[in-house]
Amino acid sequence: MKKPIVLAVDDDPQVLNAIDRDLRSEFRKDYRILRAASGEEALTTLQELKARAEPLALVLADQRMPQMEGVELLEKTRVLFPDAKRVLLTAYADTEAAIRAINNAHLDYYLMKPWNPPQELLYPTLHDLLTAWQAKYKPRFQGLRLIGFQWSPLSHELKDFLAGYMVAFQWLDFETNPEAKELLDTTGLTAADLPVVVFEDGTAESRPDRTAIASKIGLALKASSQLYDVVVIGAGPSGLAAAVYGASEGLKTLIVERQSPGGQAGTSSRIENYLGFPTGLSGAELAHRAWSQAVRLGAEFLAQEVTGLCVQDGYKVLTLSDGSEISTRAVVLTTGVSYRTLEVPGIDKLTGAGVYYGAARTEARSCDQRDVYIVGGGNSAGQAAMYLATYARKVHIVIRGESLAASMSAYLIEQIGRTPNIQILPFAQVVEVRGDDHLEQVVLNNNGQLEERPAQALFVFIGAKPSTEWVCETVACDSKGFLLTGRDLVTDPRYGSLWKREREPYLLETCVPGIFAAGDSRAGAMARVASAVGEGSMAIKFVHQYLDE
């Protein structure tokens, strides 16, 4: 973090050298000391500091300077940096002007020349002023900043993407945060260009796509090699586990993820039933730990989307969204699942503008002291409800059945029962959502009665569908799109003709030898984080057996 600045201004070189020397001697540990030889030079420096959004703590200016007197400079300083302390350096003959400046120009203090010894006549006063400034100073956020509109779907997508990679960023709502307008002015862009991402180096991009952000935050977009031992497609818990074990066991491993690490589990606000974490942890934290572990062990991570998969001479050839190709000896498909959409009137227009799928952590703060609704009765819905309850005035869980017992873990049901601002609405369903540019109202069929209720946010957790559309022409999927593996390929008469080798397929092997599936997108998988991690680890065992054939 950059140190706050103290600026000394005097047209007399000897005096400027003396004040610069004394300031550095006492304050350089906590402040950067700058100097200017005239009012015009000082004003230019101040404007540059303002453009770079650097913190100015104090200006110490001589009164008698040609072209621009000290009082005039300090008045202009107040416009640029209203919170900075302003001190006038005067000779005895200028004390009346200094006193007038205290009243008219809101001067903080004036000091007499000479100030020797500084330990008595300079430092105590400046220490008092700087202490008062520090008490109100809020350091500028050091990192990526996102300026946008709260109800903009693209703003929501960018927040979700950054949160998924655990990138520290500051969200600035253009309509409610004055800092957003000030920062936008420094970029040369306008409100019509929002959302705007301002990177730590000061560069800004309007409406950037994920590829542009991924490049700026250091994610790889190009594979370093053309051939790998195993490529893992998808960085959910199963994919990350496969990458960890593949890399740790000496396989040249690449993991490709089109969105962000963690998959559906990565959006969970708190996972409390995963082995080894008695107090629980967020899905994003678990994903980030696993991602760091895989990279440390030698796995390569690629922020790309796989759009095609084919087999050529035994090698698996992957086509990426940028048109490039990668070859590998084995593939582990851990593409996971995506949330099913709620099909009710008004939903398409308001998705990302008050209606969200699995984004409780990203949008929780925007729900402060408001009424929110959750549709769904599974563990993801329960975890979201507990997290949102710390912000929202009231959290309503809308379920079709009588209770949560059939679909939610007992520990979550108990926690929800002890949380006074969570209400369960049984035998209910959302039949319509309303609002102009953002969600304003939900219409419920509540036990046969239609009810119109005000709502600021609706979070949807109504099950999931496998993300396998792009691969079902290459490997066999069941009627719902889940990947078929293992003995299903030889014992089920519907799929028995798909396996062509003499040996039986390995437990997690698809109908194409050397292509394996693990996690929630696999037919018959158990939708739990621990199970997904176990399958990802097992898949590497079978990869080894396949490569040794």
Side-chain angles (χ1 to χ4, degrees):
M1 185 176 297
K2 292 182 179 179
K3 295 178 182 179
I5 292 165
V6 172
L7 175 63
V9 190
D10 201 305
D11 66 314
D12 186 326
Q14 289 185 331
V15 176
L16 185 58
N17 286 337
I19 190 67
D20 181 71
R21 177 199 64 218
D22 289 343
L23 290 174
R24 290 181 185 278
S25 175
E26 182 70 7
F27 298 104
R28 65 182 177 183
K29 180 180 178 181
D30 301 310
Y31 298 88
R32 282 196 297 151
I33 311 301
L34 301 182
R35 54 191 286 172
S38 68
E40 291 83 356
E41 182 183 338
L43 188 58
T44 299
T45 298
L46 292 171
Q47 290 168 339
E48 291 174 352
L49 294 175
K50 181 70 174 179
R52 297 198 299 266
E54 298 203 43
L56 178 71
L58 183 144
V59 177
L60 179 63
D62 182 49
Q63 168 60 8
R64 291 197 177 187
M65 294 187 294
Q67 299 173 335
M68 185 185 298
E69 291 187 337
V71 170
E72 182 183 356
L73 172 63
L74 294 176
E75 287 177 339
K76 292 181 178 181
T77 299
R78 184 170 177 243
V79 174
L80 292 170
F81 292 91
D83 296 326
K85 298 300 180 182
R86 297 172 300 280
V87 179
L88 192 67
L89 195 61
T90 70
Y92 180 78
D94 297 322
T95 53
E96 286 191 19
I99 293 171
R100 287 197 303 271
I102 290 175
N103 297 323
N104 299 332
H106 301 278
L107 194 69
D108 291 297
Y109 209 87
Y110 73 91
L111 291 171
M112 300 288 292
K113 295 189 293 186
W115 55 85
N116 288 325
Q119 292 81 3
E120 296 179 11
L121 301 179
L122 179 67
Y123 297 156
T125 298
L126 296 188
H127 272 299
D128 287 345
L129 291 172
L130 290 171
T131 298
W133 179 84
Q134 286 282 6
K136 295 183 178 180
Y137 169 57
K138 293 182 179 180
R140 183 174 72 89
F141 180 80
Q142 299 294 312
L144 185 148
R145 288 171 289 173
L146 173 60
I147 312 169
F149 297 105
Q150 175 59 44
W151 306 119
S152 159
L154 182 53
S155 293
H156 166 69
E157 287 180 19
L158 293 174
K159 284 191 284 184
D160 221 24
F161 177 75
L162 293 168
Y165 278 101
M166 295 192 78
V167 175
F169 72 97
Q170 182 183 37
W171 162 246
L172 299 172
D173 188 343
F174 186 77
E175 294 180 311
T176 61
N177 193 326
E179 186 182 349
K181 298 178 175 63
E182 294 177 7
L183 180 60
L184 187 64
D185 289 341
T186 67
T187 67
L189 300 170
T190 69
D193 300 308
L194 295 177
V196 168
V197 174
V198 182
F199 298 98
E200 191 168 0
D201 61 5
T203 59
E205 289 201 28
S206 170
R207 301 175 186 171
D209 58 23
R210 294 180 176 184
T211 301
I213 297 178
S215 177
K216 290 289 287 189
I217 64 177
L219 298 177
L221 299 174
K222 297 288 185 181
S224 64
S225 176
Q226 287 297 311
L227 178 63
Y228 292 86
D229 292 324
V230 60
V231 173
V232 182
I233 304 175
S238 57
L240 290 167
V244 166
Y245 279 89
S248 67
E249 294 177 13
L251 297 177
K252 189 173 184 180
T253 303
L254 173 70
I255 183 167
V256 186
E257 171 55 52
R258 63 177 180 176
Q259 294 180 328
S260 55
Q264 194 176 39
T267 66
S268 295
S269 53
R270 182 140 299 265
I271 301 170
E272 297 189 60
N273 59 352
Y274 186 62
L275 184 67
F277 294 90
T279 60
L281 77 169
S282 71
E285 184 183 359
L286 177 63
H288 189 73
R289 286 171 181 246
W291 174 33
S292 301
Q293 185 179 18
V295 172
R296 181 180 66 81
L297 291 169
E300 183 181 340
F301 191 95
L302 193 62
Q304 272 275 16
E305 180 178 4
V306 179
T307 57
L309 169 61
C310 65
V311 180
Q312 295 179 1
D313 300 325
Y315 290 97
K316 287 71 181 171
V317 180
L318 307 176
T319 303
L320 304 182
S321 55
D322 64 358
S324 61
E325 292 185 344
I326 299 169
S327 297
T328 178
R329 299 167 67 196
V331 171
V332 181
L333 297 170
T334 57
T335 53
V337 294
S338 57
Y339 288 104
R340 293 191 182 277
T341 56
L342 183 65
E343 303 296 338
V344 298
I347 200 80
D348 292 337
K349 181 178 74 169
L350 299 177
T351 298
V355 176
Y356 306 108
Y357 293 88
R361 286 182 61 85
T362 306
E363 299 296 341
R365 293 186 183 276
S366 68
C367 301
D368 189 44
Q369 297 305 307
R370 299 182 177 187
D371 284 2
V372 302
Y373 287 78
I374 293 174
V375 181
N379 277 7
S380 295
Q383 290 159 355
M386 290 300 302
Y387 189 76
L388 290 167
T390 61
Y391 298 94
R393 188 185 73 85
K394 194 80 172 180
V395 178
H396 306 270
I397 302 178
V398 181
I399 56 174
R400 293 189 178 191
E402 181 180 2
S403 72
L404 299 170
S407 53
M408 189 179 293
S409 295
Y411 79 93
L412 275 172
I413 296 174
E414 291 175 4
Q415 290 179 0
I416 288 170
R418 295 194 302 264
T419 307
N421 64 331
I422 297 181
Q423 180 187 20
I424 299 172
L425 301 177
F427 303 115
Q429 51 187 309
V430 174
V431 295
E432 186 179 356
V433 294
R434 296 172 181 170
D436 293 327
D437 61 345
H438 68 277
L439 179 68
E440 298 175 34
Q441 191 179 71
V442 297
V443 181
L444 299 179
N445 181 337
N446 191 3
N447 208 8
Q449 300 292 321
L450 287 182
E451 297 179 1
E452 298 176 350
R453 297 190 176 200
Q456 283 70 45
L458 175 68
F459 296 88
V460 182
F461 301 89
I462 55 172
K465 59 180 180 179
S467 302
T468 57
E469 305 89 350
W470 63 277
V471 78
C472 280
E473 291 185 1
T474 304
V475 297
C477 301
D478 67 13
S479 59
K480 296 181 179 179
F482 290 94
L483 298 164
L484 294 164
T485 59
R487 288 191 57 79
D488 285 345
L489 297 171
V490 293
T491 58
D492 192 317
R494 293 173 295 177
Y495 314 117
S497 62
L498 296 175
W499 182 255
K500 303 299 183 182
R501 289 206 173 185
E502 291 185 6
R503 68 165 175 84
E504 286 195 354
Y506 297 121
L507 183 62
L508 300 179
E509 197 168 19
T510 67
C511 65
V512 179
I515 298 180
F516 301 86
D520 290 355
S521 61
R522 189 182 70 84
M526 178 176 149
R528 290 291 184 270
V529 174
S531 174
V533 170
E535 288 194 7
S537 308
M538 288 169 55
I540 296 302
K541 172 181 181 294
F542 299 127
V543 167
H544 275 295
Q545 291 180 348
Y546 168 76
L547 295 179
D548 290 339
E549 290 180 355

